[in-house]
Amino acid sequence: MRRHKATQTESVEVERYRVAAEQGTADILSGLTAGKPDGDPEETAEWIQSLDELISTQGTERAQYIMRSLLQRAGAQSVGVPMVTTTDYVNTIPADQEAEFPGDEEIERKYRAWLRWNAAVMVHRAQRPEIGVGGHISTYAGAATLYEVGFNHFFKGKDHPGGGDQIFFQGHASPGMYARAYLEGRITEEDLDGFRQEKSKEGHALSSYPHPRLMPHFWEFPTVSMGIGPMNAIYQAQSNRYLHNRGLKDTSEQQVWAFLGDGEMDEPESRGLLQLAANENLDNLNFVINCNLQRLDGPVRGNGKIMQELEAFFRGAGWNVIKVVWGREWDSLLAKDHGGALVDIMNQTPDGDYQTYKAESGGFVRDHFFGKSPETKAMVEDLTDAEIWNLKRGGHDYRKVYAAYKAATEFKGKPTVVLAKTVKGYGLGPHFEGRNATHQMKKLTNADLKAFRDHLRIPVTDEQIDDDLYNAPYYHPGADAPEIKYMLERRAELGGFVPERRTKHADVVLPGDKAYETAKKGSGKQMAATTMAFVRILKDLMRDKEFGKRITPIIPDEARTFGMDSFFPTAKIYNPKGQNYLSVDRDLVLAYKESVQGQILHAGINEAGSMAAFTAAGSAYATQGEPLIPIYVFYSMFGFQRTGDSIWAAADQMARGFIIGATAGRTTLTGEGLQHADGHSPILASTNPAVITYDPAFGYEIGHIMRDGLNRMYGDIGDKPESFRNVMYYVTVYNEPFQQPAEPEELDVAGLLKGIYLLKPAKVDGPRTQLLASGVAVPWALEAQKILADEWGVSADVWSVTSWNELRRDGLDAEEEAFLNPGAEARTPFVTQQLEGATGPIVAVSDFMKAVPDQIRQFLPNEFATLGADGFGFSDTRAAARRFFKIDSHSVVVRALEMLARRGEVDANAPKEAIEKYRLLDVNAGTTGTTGGEA
């Protein structure tokens, strides 16, 4: 065996590693020559020698051009050359092509040490026994260089002449951003001690992760729900180009940076939208993936190489890839690697071994890494174990990272991903560095603190640490220290502090009454679904000269289903490349038209991307100071159920806009079946505090809701706080056509907006009942009202419930006020006020599950019954489905009669007679609802 002072046991272990590498890592190499016989090794050697001489005499840049030319010629001559998706496990940028580092590395390294100390101490102090709120130390410790090169040389603040960059910080690295803000004088030591104590230290509190809603002047983008950050960063870059191409703002100098973890890239969302960035040539977008080779529990790819995998994946997706694998200390070794033995070992060593090396020692690396071949063993004979240990990974080298970032920002035509190899827990000592459990390790022992202090050269004494383990001091040299002045000068030159969120934006001139006239008129003799009523309102809003340009319609691949194909010829579909093909439907009135200045964001079959586009547009008022009004229209079933986490993140980012759940209800789209039949989205929506949910029945209701929403977001809100604006309106609309009534003369607009108003009082005297309905169920209630009056002599009032959710929230708020103010006169919930004096039992019905109307049950003294579509949906006619779920007009009649019969107000046999008369148990006897209705 080839060994350096090896024991027999260690020799066996090295042999095991060698065999494992040969058997299990073929997939991590490019394999250009694997399995191909060499018919003339001597000639092959001559070609390789020629290339080596070219590199030696003219450099790598010239060699790159020659190689590209040869590959191009080979392709033209039909010489089958595989696409090189994976390069050797070395830096993409050769040492002789690295940009010169422009900063003072010594100064930057000095305060970077202070940052890493303060970040770790903040988390450690938050673990004192009486608090114990947790935190993460190791992510920032390993990623500090990646961030600091950006902060000092690349990240533009909002005062930069070209506009600010958008930075998506890795969530678990948040302690580092707080540590920097502390040195910058933006937050205090008291604030650091409020980490994760947002109520108990209110006024001096820091959120666990980037949460704009919790720290609205600091963070811009929530990222810790992994996978959402990458999606939103891609669509933020698209949104910047959208604003630019539509002439709303010059964003040509702005860059989007997303800092991600290699483990995070296993999330389908992290990789699933890369094609958009490539297809739209978003060279304003940079991913920086912190490849510390670890997930939360262990290696990302113990038997493989995550950097190689990601390189292949991103390159195949059309991205520019820059690998930063090795620090400058490796340059001389690689320069001596004439035979390629060192690169061969680098290629073959799996990540599980690389992780182990960084948890061991320099001597271990000498034996187990360099000891794999005589050539590499000889390379390090003159190095001490300490020098071998100091062979850094590229993500910890300022020069290598700077060169990568500069190349990324200067690259044109493609988005760039920087794959930077680091050590998780770097510098935290042997208990933390590269350990499987390091992500969950939050406490430092006395010895750990001292070793960390010594490693970083922090001027803190043993006594200060010994005095109180959980009160180890932060370090700040004072505002006049040259390092702090340098830090602040760098930020001033780049345009101000980062992260920072601002909400001052261009004025929004809201549309006047004319934009809502169509909604008030109804559909006359025409049949129209509420989806079409909404589309007509949207079209009128987009026509408004001042306001229309700010609307951003967002649709997945269903515009024709929603009747929005009429927008194609006029508003056009946004495509930064325009329409460079002859459209197959060019002669049609509603031809599919794409344009660089297009207004519609058409994401394809892509709800996650659509929601990311919504978030970017809905927060443009803050990120760009140019408000956009996103109106995202989707199959209601594929909204909160499919992208609820993204909607939650949009709420955190304080996005404003409208999300339209089209084809809503469990029985209006019954031809589509179970997975299209939405009977529960209002319940899911109720769990998001930023979502205002409406289930309107008629076009005029939608008009008032839209107007109210726009005013709340950008109009006069009186003395309400600015945070009152940060909401999303979720409006369910249906595809079932019926005659849309004109707006009533004496419409209770306040009741409509708060959630309930009396639509049609009873016109006969008799036993009284109240029918409450929402959305598409309102016509059923009106039909039931007529049947009850004509056939049973029952007097029924019909109420349109535009929002069960908002009525519940109001009722709960009233209960909370009473709970906290005993003895004071309790406020009456709005729904209770509205129904005051409305006698008789209540029957509530909707095209959703019973839990939706049941939200208001506790706020009404009347006897209350709910009809709903509980269970899975299925394919059938609307009438049959409604009869099956017992929510149709005749079911409302029977339920009302049952309740009245129990009260002795109608004949006891009336319910049974009604069931038989209407054949309520026969699904084929149902008559409620129309057929057809695409939109």
Side-chain angles (χ1 to χ4, degrees):
M1 294 298 294
R2 300 187 292 268
R3 299 292 293 138
H4 174 81
K5 297 180 181 178
T7 66
Q8 181 63 33
T9 302
E10 289 173 329
S11 297
V12 171
E13 192 169 13
V14 168
E15 177 65 13
R16 180 179 62 79
Y17 288 164
R18 184 189 65 78
V19 172
E22 291 176 354
Q23 294 180 345
T25 60
D27 59 314
I28 61 179
L29 308 178
S30 58
L32 285 175
T33 58
K36 301 288 184 183
D38 188 347
D40 192 341
E42 186 175 345
E43 183 184 23
T44 303
E46 290 174 1
W47 280 97
I48 292 174
Q49 184 179 353
S50 296
L51 178 62
D52 289 344
E53 289 176 2
L54 174 65
I55 295 171
S56 177
T57 57
Q58 298 193 49
T60 56
E61 191 168 2
R62 177 60 181 162
Q64 284 176 352
Y65 184 82
I66 294 297
M67 288 300 298
R68 287 172 181 265
S69 298
L70 289 171
L71 287 169
Q72 184 171 311
R73 185 63 178 170
Q77 295 290 329
S78 299
V79 176
V81 179
M83 178 183 178
V84 181
T85 56
T86 306
T87 58
D88 284 322
Y89 201 62
V90 294
N91 295 344
T92 301
I93 302 174
D96 66 339
Q97 290 186 36
E98 288 175 7
E100 185 176 348
F101 183 73
D104 188 321
E105 190 172 356
E106 188 56 39
I107 286 181
E108 292 183 29
R109 182 183 290 113
K110 198 169 183 180
Y111 64 71
R112 181 182 52 164
W114 302 342
L115 292 170
R116 293 174 65 224
W117 170 263
N118 288 335
V121 167
M122 180 189 73
V123 174
H124 177 72
R125 287 170 71 146
Q127 277 298 95
R128 61 179 73 93
E130 68 274 19
I131 297 177
V133 292
H136 298 280
I137 295 175
S138 296
T139 296
Y140 179 71
T145 296
L146 302 180
Y147 287 112
E148 280 305 298
V149 171
F151 276 120
N152 292 318
H153 303 285
F154 292 95
F155 301 161
K156 295 187 290 291
K158 295 190 181 297
D159 292 326
H160 192 278
D165 290 347
Q166 283 89 38
I167 321 294
F168 289 73
F169 294 98
Q170 193 177 0
H172 293 116
S174 63
M177 310 315 122
Y178 295 139
R180 174 170 256 270
Y182 170 61
L183 288 188
E184 291 170 334
R186 301 173 66 194
I187 61 177
T188 66
E189 185 171 321
E190 188 178 0
D191 296 329
L192 293 180
D193 278 343
F195 179 57
R196 293 191 168 199
Q197 299 154 73
E198 294 171 67
K199 298 302 179 185
S200 56
K201 297 288 179 65
E202 193 166 4
H204 292 281
L206 302 177
S207 63
S208 55
Y209 303 122
H211 290 302
R213 186 167 283 272
L214 300 176
M215 295 180 66
H217 304 296
F218 192 84
W219 295 114
E220 281 198 284
F221 306 105
T223 53
V224 85
S225 186
M226 294 185 185
I228 290 180
M231 290 195 303
N232 285 357
I234 290 170
Y235 279 84
Q236 182 63 52
Q238 184 204 50
S239 184
N240 291 358
R241 288 283 167 82
Y242 175 84
L243 282 164
H244 185 88
N245 290 339
R246 293 195 57 226
L248 297 173
K249 183 180 181 181
D250 182 356
T251 64
S252 57
E253 293 185 41
Q254 294 178 275
Q255 295 272 322
V256 176
W257 298 81
F259 286 81
L260 313 167
D262 49 358
E264 178 178 5
M265 299 311 294
D266 280 348
E267 288 282 5
E269 295 88 348
S270 295
R271 304 194 195 190
L273 296 172
L274 301 184
Q275 80 285 344
L276 176 93
N279 291 345
E280 297 197 2
N281 305 117
L282 296 178
D283 50 22
N284 59 340
L285 173 66
N286 309 290
F287 275 17
V288 180
I289 301 182
N290 176 17
C291 296
N292 55 38
L293 315 184
Q294 291 186 239
R295 293 176 181 153
L296 306 187
D297 289 334
V300 181
R301 296 289 184 274
N303 292 322
K305 294 172 104 64
I306 187 60
M307 290 187 75
Q308 304 295 82
E309 177 187 316
L310 293 175
E311 177 187 22
F313 197 92
F314 276 87
R315 185 168 283 122
W319 286 52
N320 175 43
V321 181
I322 300 174
K323 288 193 298 190
V324 185
V325 190
W326 307 113
R328 72 193 74 167
E329 298 85 1
W330 290 85
D331 288 346
S332 59
L333 294 176
L334 287 164
K336 293 189 294 184
D337 187 32
H338 303 299
L342 178 57
V343 172
D344 188 49
I345 291 173
M346 289 173 168
N347 285 338
Q348 293 188 19
T349 302
D351 284 353
D353 283 346
Y354 278 123
Q355 184 185 356
T356 298
Y357 296 152
K358 275 304 175 185
E360 295 293 339
S361 65
F364 188 93
V365 175
R366 181 195 302 277
D367 293 341
H368 293 272
F369 182 77
F370 291 104
K372 290 181 178 180
S373 79
E375 296 88 347
T376 52
K377 178 181 178 181
M379 280 183 188
V380 295
E381 282 182 343
D382 296 333
L383 299 183
T384 65
D385 287 351
E387 288 172 325
I388 290 176
W389 186 248
N390 199 43
L391 292 168
K392 293 186 182 66
R393 293 181 177 178
H396 301 302
D397 189 317
Y398 261 52
R399 295 183 198 174
K400 304 295 185 184
V401 175
Y402 177 84
Y405 286 7
K406 191 169 192 296
T409 54
E410 293 176 354
F411 191 90
K412 299 303 178 186
K414 293 181 181 181
T416 294
V417 59
V418 176
L419 304 173
K421 189 175 184 181
T422 64
V423 179
K424 195 165 188 177
Y426 182 69
L428 290 172
H431 293 142
F432 283 80
E433 281 193 9
R435 298 289 175 181
N436 280 336
T438 189
H439 184 77
Q440 298 300 337
M441 295 167 68
K442 312 167 194 309
K443 299 179 182 179
L444 292 150
T445 66
N446 188 287
D448 288 333
L449 275 171
K450 291 177 180 177
F452 190 42
R453 172 204 61 189
D454 294 343
H455 173 73
L456 298 175
R457 299 182 179 88
I458 306 296
V460 169
T461 66
D462 283 355
E463 289 74 20
Q464 287 175 294
I465 294 173
D466 292 336
D467 183 54
D468 183 350
L469 177 62
Y470 288 104
N471 203 32
Y474 301 112
Y475 181 71
H476 195 306
D480 294 330
E483 296 86 355
I484 302 301
K485 288 183 176 180
Y486 176 97
M487 171 190 274
L488 295 177
E489 286 168 3
R490 296 303 310 134
R491 287 313 316 156
E493 186 174 332
L494 285 165
F497 294 125
V498 172
E500 182 188 15
R501 183 178 180 274
R502 298 181 184 176
T503 55
K504 186 177 180 181
H505 57 71
D507 291 336
V508 177
V509 180
L510 294 177
D513 294 343
K514 186 176 180 181
Y516 304 98
E517 285 178 357
T518 301
K520 293 186 177 185
K521 291 178 181 177
S523 63
K525 294 182 179 179
Q526 273 190 321
M527 303 278 276
T530 49
T531 300
M532 186 53 67
F534 158 76
V535 169
R536 289 172 179 168
I537 294 167
L538 178 58
K539 188 175 289 186
D540 287 344
L541 290 173
M542 291 173 68
R543 285 173 177 161
D544 187 276
K545 289 183 180 179
E546 290 294 324
F547 179 77
K549 64 185 178 182
R550 297 197 179 277
I551 292 180
T552 304
I554 302 169
I555 45 176
D557 203 18
E558 290 284 0
R560 299 181 197 281
T561 301
F562 307 140
M564 295 181 70
D565 48 339
S566 60
F567 289 25
F568 291 166
T570 51
K572 299 184 178 64
I573 296 159
Y574 173 73
N575 188 324
K577 299 177 183 179
Q579 187 164 347
N580 302 312
Y581 58 89
L582 193 62
S583 176
V584 69
D585 61 357
R586 61 192 179 279
D587 295 329
L588 301 180
V589 174
L590 302 183
Y592 193 86
K593 290 190 179 180
E594 300 178 72
S595 169
V596 175
Q597 294 82 34
Q599 190 167 358
I600 302 166
L601 290 178
H602 192 298
I605 305 174
N606 185 354
E607 288 87 3
S610 298
M611 197 60 225
F614 174 93
T615 303
S619 54
Y621 72 92
T623 56
Q624 295 289 6
E626 283 290 343
L628 295 175
I629 316 295
I631 300 180
Y632 169 30
V633 189
F634 53 90
Y635 262 102
S636 63
M637 188 69 160
F638 305 147
F640 284 87
Q641 178 162 295
R642 181 172 293 228
T643 58
D645 195 13
S646 289
I647 299 173
W648 190 265
D652 194 347
Q653 196 166 316
M654 290 176 282
R656 304 172 185 171
F658 295 86
I659 42 184
I660 308 298
T663 61
R666 187 144 279 163
T667 68
T668 60
L669 195 69
T670 49
E672 293 290 323
L674 186 148
Q675 284 196 257
H676 287 66
D678 171 24
H680 52 284
S681 63
I683 292 296
L684 299 177
S686 73
T687 64
N688 192 317
V691 173
I692 311 298
T693 303
Y694 284 98
D695 185 29
F698 306 123
Y700 67 81
E701 293 179 349
I702 298 172
H704 283 288
I705 290 165
M706 296 286 289
R707 188 170 195 167
D708 179 67
L710 290 172
N711 188 71
R712 178 166 179 172
M713 294 170 200
Y714 293 105
D716 181 10
I717 56 172
D719 59 355
K720 290 183 172 63
E722 189 68 14
S723 59
F724 181 71
R725 301 186 184 278
N726 300 326
V727 292
M728 296 168 279
Y729 275 50
Y730 175 49
V731 183
T732 51
V733 293
Y734 301 81
N735 73 319
E736 181 175 359
F738 55 85
Q739 286 186 342
Q740 294 287 327
E743 181 176 310
E745 289 282 335
E746 303 294 326
L747 177 65
D748 177 7
V749 176
L752 185 161
L753 295 175
K754 288 184 177 181
I756 185 172
Y757 69 96
L758 181 58
L759 174 64
K760 188 173 184 181
K763 293 185 177 180
V764 298
D765 291 327
R768 297 193 63 79
T769 187
Q770 309 297 320
L771 306 182
L772 275 57
S774 68
V776 77
V778 172
W780 315 343
L782 291 171
E783 184 182 2
Q785 179 189 49
K786 187 174 187 306
I787 294 171
L788 283 167
D790 293 348
E791 301 181 22
W792 304 95
V794 171
S795 175
D797 296 326
V798 175
W799 300 78
S800 178
V801 181
T802 53
S803 181
W804 307 97
N805 292 29
E806 287 306 295
L807 291 176
R808 175 171 177 78
R809 283 179 177 171
D810 173 77
L812 292 176
D813 286 345
E815 287 187 348
E816 182 79 359
E817 291 167 22
F819 163 52
L820 297 176
N821 295 278
E825 184 177 354
R827 178 174 70 83
T828 303
F830 181 75
V831 67
T832 312
Q833 294 177 41
Q834 286 289 84
L835 287 164
E836 186 177 6
T839 57
I842 294 173
V843 178
V845 64
S846 77
D847 202 20
F848 295 100
M849 60 192 299
K850 294 182 178 72
V852 174
D854 258 6
Q855 292 180 96
I856 67 169
R857 181 186 290 266
Q858 72 197 73
F859 307 113
L860 298 173
N862 311 51
E863 185 182 355
F864 191 94
T866 302
L867 301 179
D870 286 46
F872 289 111
F874 51 84
S875 297
D876 212 314
T877 65
R878 291 186 180 119
R882 288 163 188 170
R883 177 54 57 92
F884 173 83
F885 285 119
K886 304 300 181 289
I887 56 175
D888 59 353
S889 301
H890 296 105
S891 296
V892 173
V893 169
V894 171
R895 195 72 182 94
L897 291 174
E898 286 178 348
M899 298 170 81
L900 290 169
R902 281 200 303 269
R903 297 158 66 99
E905 296 180 23
V906 298
D907 188 282
N909 292 320
K912 186 177 180 182
E913 291 175 13
I915 289 175
E916 293 173 353
K917 179 178 180 179
Y918 305 129
R919 295 163 55 203
L920 203 67
L921 303 183
D922 183 357
V923 295
N924 292 304
T927 60
T928 298
T930 60
T931 58
E934 290 299 316

